[in-house]
Amino acid sequence: MFLTRFRINTARMGARRLLTSPQSLHAAVMASFAERPDHQGDGPRVLWRLDQQSRSEVLLYIVSPGRPDLTHLVEQAGWPTTGGWQTKPYASFLTRLTADDTWTFRLTANPVHSIRRHAAEPTKRTAHVTPRHQLDWLLQRQKDAGFAIVEHDEPRPDGLPGAWHEVAVHNRGDLSFGKRGETDDRAHQVKLTRVTYDGRLRVTDPDALRRTLTFGLGKAKAYGCGLMTLAPAE
C-alpha cells in the first residue's frame, strides 16, 4: 500500500477542469497506474480525496495498492519544472496501529441512507443534509470501522443534550454531473453530497481500522469519498 500527496496548481486550465469534474479526476487518478486496479475483487482499492487548504492550495491524496505515476497530472495541473508528488509506503504505518491509540483524523464521505414512503415502494438512496444527521451517519459506523470518536463529559458547545464528540462536520458540497454508462453512450445524471469530518478518534479494532483506511468508508468512492487519513494527536 502507498499514500501519495500531490499539490494541484489551481491557476492552470487543466486543474480547473479536474476540480469541477469528479469523473474526470477519477479517470486521471486511475490513469496513474499502468495496469488498471480491479475494484471487483476482495483486495484494497484506490481511494482519493481533495483537501482545500485555501483558495490557492488544493491537495490530492491517494491511497493505493500500487505505486502511482502522476506525471500526467503534473503536466496538466501541476508545476512541470518545479513540482511533483510525494509517495510513501503505507503498510508499515498500518501495521503499527494499536488498540487505544489516539489519532486525529480527516474523512470526506457521502453520508446517505435508504428511505421509502410505504412498504410497496422501492428504497431510494438519499443524502443526509443536516450536520446532526451527517454526524449520526458516522457514529453509526464507527464500531464496525474499528474506531470510536473521542467523547467528552462536559456540556456540549451547542447546548444540546447528549455526548460531545470531538469532531467537526463541515465543507458540505452538493455535486451534479453527467456520467456515461459502460455499455452505452447515454449520459446519466449523478448527484451526490460530500461532507468532510475532522476530529479525534481512539482505535478500538486495529484490523477493522486498517480495512477502513484501505477499503474506504461509505459510498461514492470513485468520486473522492471514503478516504480517511490519520495524523498524530496533539
Side-chain angles (χ1 to χ4, degrees):
M1 296 299 299
F2 295 90
L3 174 63
T4 299
R5 186 180 72 170
F6 170 70
R7 184 179 177 189
I8 295 176
N9 184 349
T10 57
R12 302 193 64 181
M13 184 79 68
R16 292 196 289 271
R17 180 178 63 83
L18 293 174
L19 293 175
T20 55
S21 172
Q23 189 175 15
S24 296
L25 186 49
H26 170 68
V29 169
M30 299 307 289
S32 304
F33 306 94
E35 296 185 7
R36 186 180 178 89
D38 181 10
H39 286 166
Q40 305 304 315
D42 295 330
R45 61 177 296 151
V46 176
L47 303 168
W48 62 271
R49 186 184 77 217
L50 286 174
D51 284 4
Q52 185 155 358
Q53 310 295 95
S54 65
R55 179 175 297 181
S56 61
E57 186 177 5
V58 180
L59 301 175
L60 170 65
Y61 287 92
I62 302 172
V63 166
S64 56
R67 182 183 290 272
D69 183 341
L70 304 189
T71 302
H72 62 298
L73 276 174
V74 174
E75 294 170 349
Q76 293 178 52
W79 286 266
T81 60
T82 61
W85 67 92
Q86 299 82 43
T87 296
K88 297 181 179 181
Y90 202 32
S92 58
F93 169 78
L94 295 173
T95 57
R96 292 199 303 270
L97 293 174
T98 305
D100 292 327
D101 283 351
T102 302
W103 299 88
T104 61
F105 73 90
R106 172 166 289 179
L107 165 70
T108 293
N110 172 224
V112 295
H113 62 131
S114 295
I115 62 171
R116 59 183 175 187
R117 289 170 294 185
H118 51 79
E121 183 181 60
T123 58
K124 179 181 179 181
R125 188 179 296 167
T126 305
H128 288 298
V129 296
T130 67
R132 179 70 253 177
H133 288 120
Q134 291 161 353
L135 175 58
D136 287 343
W137 176 90
L138 182 59
L139 295 177
Q140 290 164 7
R141 285 156 180 78
Q142 60 180 344
K143 181 178 179 180
D144 289 342
F147 64 87
I149 296 176
V150 174
E151 293 184 24
H152 292 279
D153 295 328
E154 297 86 355
R156 286 172 45 156
D158 55 15
L160 296 176
W164 171 27
H165 292 91
E166 196 167 320
V167 59
V169 184
H170 62 99
N171 201 29
R172 170 184 165 179
D174 295 319
L175 307 178
S176 179
F177 54 93
K179 175 186 177 183
R180 294 197 177 275
E182 296 181 357
T183 58
D184 59 59
D185 291 331
R186 291 179 300 175
H188 306 277
Q189 197 69 13
V190 176
K191 296 182 179 181
L192 61 91
T193 295
R194 289 196 306 207
V195 173
T196 297
Y197 302 85
D198 283 307
R200 276 204 314 153
L201 61 78
R202 178 176 55 84
V203 181
T204 57
D205 184 337
D207 288 336
L209 182 55
R210 280 188 275 269
R211 182 177 177 84
T212 298
L213 297 176
T214 54
F215 284 75
L217 188 62
K219 305 292 185 181
K221 297 182 180 71
Y223 304 121
C225 299
L227 173 56
M228 174 183 280
T229 52
L230 306 180
E234 296 181 358

